[in-house]
Amino acid sequence: MIEVKGIKKAFGDKVVLDGGSLKVNQGDVVVILGPSGSGKTTFLRCINHLETVDEGELVLSGKDYSLAQLSRQDILEIRRKTAFVFQNYSLFNNKTALENILEGLVIARKVPKDEALKIAETALTKVGLWDHKDKYPHQLSGGQQQRVGIARAIAVKPEVILFDEPTSALDPELVGDVLQVMKTLAEEGITMIVVTHEMTFAKDVANHVVFFDGGKIVEEGHPSDFFTSPKEMRTRQFLARILPDFAIDYVL
């Protein structure tokens, strides 16, 4: 279980997060929705200290962390229990697909090379890219690069994978392959927190949806409720703008 309590974050005078809290159980797939600038990506990045936090707590593996007062050891522990999939892939351009995965296992986690190779093979096979293991990022499509990023994440066997808009940089025809991999991971019980604009994924795969606006969680709930009978007017306005079949008269 992972729980985030009361995260606050400001950039100068601009408050980006104002007390966001979220509880995620093992095996949950939580989708975070919201307009641009709502704080959803910052919230995700604060969980594993890719952004510093002004105030807030994290409970992970039964241990409490004060996010505003993390030691180097705390940060290392949190990052060993989480994995992050970036929207721009963030692969090493001078390393092959296989080497990109081995880097985190052998260098960062000190896994023996033979064991790391087996783990990397399993991960690349799971995302359908073992045949591309010797290719460099520039030799792969955007969708393939993102799948390498996902393979890198699952290889370290994290307690939760954090996805930051994993399909936003992809051509539309490549989105499906990435979402299918994520759906398979969900079916295997891997815990995920996903910032995305993919409504179909949110409806069909997630078991919890969170809506951010203005640095706050406005509404959250099961997809069957969230997409059919949202309680908050702001949520209804958002859905009416992005879902053609969402009844406009329900908003008014």
Side-chain angles (χ1 to χ4, degrees), residues 14 29 32 34 38 41 54 60 66 79 106 114 135 142 145 148 166 173 179 183 204 238 244 247:
K14 181 180 174 68
V29 178
I32 299 178
S38 61
T41 288
D54 300 326
L60 185 60
S66 175
R79 289 181 177 171
V106 176
D114 289 347
K135 291 184 179 180
Q145 290 183 62
V148 172
E173 63 182 7
L179 293 179
K183 182 177 181 180
D204 297 344
F238 176 78

Side-chain angles (χ1 to χ4, degrees), residues 190-212:
I190 293 179
T191 307
M192 299 188 284
I193 305 176
V194 185
V195 172
T196 185
H197 295 289
E198 298 293 338
M199 296 300 112
T200 300
F201 180 86
K203 289 179 179 179
D204 297 344
V205 181
N207 68 322
H208 195 73
V209 179
V210 178
F211 175 59
F212 264 81

Side-chain angles (χ1 to χ4, degrees), residues 82-250:
T82 61
F84 205 100
V85 177
F86 299 86
Q87 59 181 287
N88 61 349
Y89 326 134
S90 291
L91 302 179
F92 296 108
N93 291 325
N94 63 336
K95 296 184 181 297
T96 65
L98 179 62
E99 290 169 342
N100 264 279
I101 298 174
L102 291 176
E103 184 81 10
L105 294 170
V106 176
I107 305 301
R109 307 209 176 202
K110 310 302 180 186
V111 177
K113 183 69 176 292
D114 289 347
E115 181 182 348
L117 280 169
K118 292 178 182 178
I119 294 172
E121 177 178 356
T122 299
L124 280 172
T125 300
K126 186 182 290 291
V127 301
L129 290 177
W130 179 244
D131 290 343
H132 298 271
K133 65 183 183 300
D134 296 322
K135 291 184 179 180
Y136 291 89
H138 73 272
Q139 297 173 306
L140 300 170
S141 69
Q144 289 170 333
Q145 290 183 62
Q146 190 59 288
R147 282 189 279 155
V148 172
I150 295 173
R152 180 177 56 187
I154 62 178
V156 298
K157 297 180 173 64
E159 296 190 19
V160 58
I161 302 180
L162 310 171
F163 292 83
D164 181 20
E165 301 194 28
T167 60
S168 65
L170 301 179
D171 292 334
E173 63 182 7
L174 302 177
V175 168
D177 290 340
V178 172
L179 293 179
Q180 182 57 51
V181 169
M182 294 172 63
K183 182 177 181 180
T184 299
L185 298 182
E187 291 168 349
E188 294 176 358
I190 293 179
T191 307
M192 299 188 284
I193 305 176
V194 185
V195 172
T196 185
H197 295 289
E198 298 293 338
M199 296 300 112
T200 300
F201 180 86
K203 289 179 179 179
D204 297 344
V205 181
N207 68 322
H208 195 73
V209 179
V210 178
F211 175 59
F212 264 81
D213 191 48
K216 297 181 179 181
I217 294 177
V218 175
E219 186 166 352
E220 57 183 307
H222 192 276
S224 61
D225 298 320
F226 182 89
F227 287 105
T228 58
S229 54
K231 298 180 178 63
E232 301 297 327
M233 178 59 71
R234 181 66 187 96
T235 310
R236 300 172 195 170
Q237 292 170 341
F238 176 78
L239 293 176
R241 290 191 179 101
I242 62 174
L243 295 177
D245 57 348
F246 191 84
I248 296 297
D249 57 352
Y250 181 58

